[in-house]
Amino acid sequence: MAATLAGARSPGAAAILRLHLAPAAPRRLAAVRCPRRRGIAMAAASSPPPGATPPAPAPADPLLKGTDSFFQTVISNMEKIYLTRNPTAKTILELVRSYDGDHICYDHFAFRTFGVDGYGINSLAEFFTDFGYVSRDELRFPAKKLRALWFSPPTNGGYNGTGINGPLPRIFISELLVDELSVQSQDIIHKYIRTSGKGNKHATLASTLGELTWEKPIYSDFQVLSRESEYAAWTLVNGYALNHATIATHRLVSDIKSINRFNKFVEDNGFKLNSEGGILKVSPDGLLQQSSTVADSALFTFADGITESIPRSYIEFAERLLLPQFKDLGNEEVKEHHRRDGFEVGNADKIFESTSKDQLIRR
């Protein structure tokens, strides 16, 4: 990792490196910081039962002006890497803007991690909690050997722009439960983590640069992981890169604010949607509706010189409907907190399949 950072010659990379090494944020930010590790685990342990609406946490203060600029620079660079590697996402964003105007807001950003030796959820979460994000609920995916936490942003009142300059997105971070894999797969993951040094402490920086914190893998190791866990194989070659960004369709202003019409708009423009469990993924209460494209693929040259196609990322769409107690509000009165919050295991389980071989082959 040190060699990679030392070799970052571009002005943008150098700027992010300087920002990452900047002095700690003012005390006001520390006041809204979640306790590290233990606090995140406690928040997960207190999650409500499935189907229950979780209570909202106490509102966090908005970001201070200086830290706001820094934070937005970081997530903007994450988005730049994501859009550079994923032409489908870039094109769909452009199509939506041409049809609906400049009204795109992001619902959430999602990341994947290895849940072992400090390389899991906490390696990224601590950056967001340091900037006012609040740990909310834990989700479990036993068949995929995954767990996830999501984080709500600090107050969004001052973010009136769109896209990366709009309301701060929720953050969804998942981790692979490495200890539940076969010994062979565990050994492969541990082998690369050992080459990372303390790379887990620089997960956010790695995401903004689009770099792996561990040694580039060999193709045979990628193949072994792919056979047992496509999530593991994806993470091995993509690292902390943004796995997907999600458009909040209900924040649009034209007819495609309805997710069903949005899906038709995407398909009519020639893009395939993830069909696992149906195109539209709907929560049991009917209030969270999601869909996603199939991941883009790109050629990747492995450490042993073999070049093969690997899955990159995808773009998701989400419509959050009004909670029952607010169904009579007029359109001009509706705010985001009047809508269904959080995530749903059943929906997310199918969205994960956007990077699966079955979906990529279907394309």
Side-chain angles (χ1 to χ4, degrees):
M1 180 67 176
T4 300
L5 298 182
R9 302 295 186 186
S10 71
I16 291 297
L17 181 56
R18 289 196 299 273
L19 287 172
H20 190 79
L21 299 176
R27 288 184 180 179
R28 187 177 177 191
L29 285 178
V32 300
R33 181 182 300 172
C34 291
R36 299 189 182 235
R37 301 184 186 278
R38 183 182 175 192
I40 291 173
M42 289 174 64
S46 62
S47 299
T53 301
D61 289 339
L63 293 177
L64 298 175
K65 187 174 181 180
T67 57
D68 170 85
S69 176
F70 168 77
F71 184 82
Q72 294 222 325
T73 298
V74 171
I75 61 173
S76 176
N77 276 275
M78 291 176 175
E79 183 202 39
K80 286 177 183 175
I81 296 294
Y82 166 75
L83 294 178
T84 298
R85 292 179 174 177
N86 300 283
T88 292
K90 183 178 180 181
T91 302
I92 288 177
L93 288 169
E94 291 169 350
L95 286 168
V96 172
R97 289 191 179 100
S98 68
Y99 185 90
D100 188 85
D102 194 14
H103 303 109
I104 292 172
C105 293
Y106 285 126
D107 180 86
H108 65 273
F109 280 3
F111 303 87
R112 295 181 177 184
T113 67
F114 287 133
V116 67
D117 294 347
Y119 282 79
I121 291 171
N122 288 344
S123 60
L124 277 168
E126 290 179 356
F127 170 78
F128 291 100
T129 56
D130 280 351
F131 284 87
Y133 274 75
V134 176
S135 174
R136 296 293 296 275
D137 307 309
E138 180 186 64
L139 294 86
R140 289 272 179 172
F141 307 86
K144 288 183 168 66
K145 300 180 174 63
L146 305 175
R147 67 184 286 266
L149 289 175
W150 75 273
F151 301 79
S152 57
T155 52
N156 274 320
Y159 301 92
N160 299 316
T162 61
I164 209 70
N165 297 310
L168 296 176
R170 299 166 182 83
I171 299 298
F172 183 97
I173 310 175
S174 56
E175 66 180 17
L176 178 68
L177 303 176
V178 175
D179 291 347
E180 296 183 12
L181 300 179
S182 67
V183 172
Q184 184 182 22
S185 291
Q186 288 186 51
D187 287 347
I188 289 171
I189 292 169
H190 281 283
K191 177 176 73 172
Y192 288 101
I193 284 177
R194 283 194 297 271
T195 72
S196 179
K198 295 183 179 179
N200 58 317
K201 296 183 180 298
H202 307 289
T204 305
L205 182 59
S207 184
T208 63
L209 295 174
E211 295 287 344
L212 296 175
T213 68
W214 46 79
E215 188 176 75
K216 181 182 282 192
I218 60 174
Y219 183 56
S220 59
D221 287 341
F222 174 78
Q223 286 181 303
V224 169
L225 292 187
S226 294
R227 288 192 287 269
E228 181 170 0
S229 167
E230 291 180 313
Y231 180 109
W234 189 97
T235 307
L236 184 68
V237 292
N238 289 285
Y240 290 110
L242 180 59
N243 175 257
H244 67 268
T246 302
I247 296 174
T249 67
H250 55 271
R251 289 181 178 267
L252 301 175
V253 299
S254 66
D255 61 311
I256 60 172
K257 69 186 302 177
S258 160
I259 195 165
N260 282 310
R261 292 184 179 178
F262 191 99
N263 289 340
K264 185 176 186 305
F265 173 80
V266 171
E267 290 182 313
D268 286 349
N269 277 282
F271 297 99
K272 297 290 186 182
L273 296 178
N274 171 355
S275 61
E276 182 72 20
I279 296 295
L280 190 65
K281 288 71 166 149
V282 182
S283 61
D285 61 12
L287 300 180
L288 175 61
Q289 304 188 5
Q290 297 165 273
S291 59
S292 61
T293 63
V294 175
D296 282 323
S297 298
L299 292 177
F300 182 89
T301 301
F302 290 84
D304 49 1
I306 297 173
T307 299
E308 290 289 343
S309 180
I310 63 165
R312 288 298 194 181
S313 300
Y314 56 95
I315 188 166
E316 183 189 326
F317 323 113
E319 182 176 7
R320 297 180 182 274
L321 302 180
L322 288 177
L323 294 168
Q325 61 268 38
F326 302 121
K327 63 182 177 60
D328 295 326
L329 288 178
N331 288 339
E332 68 284 354
E333 300 176 275
V334 173
K335 306 297 181 187
E336 189 71 5
H337 66 267
H338 295 134
R339 297 181 181 275
R340 209 276 202 185
D341 204 1
F343 294 84
E344 189 66 41
V345 167
N347 288 19
D349 185 71
K350 305 300 186 294
I351 295 290
F352 276 125
E353 295 298 316
S354 292
T355 58
S356 72
K357 183 177 180 181
D358 286 347
Q359 291 296 317
L360 268 66
I361 289 175
R362 188 179 64 84
R363 293 190 70 183

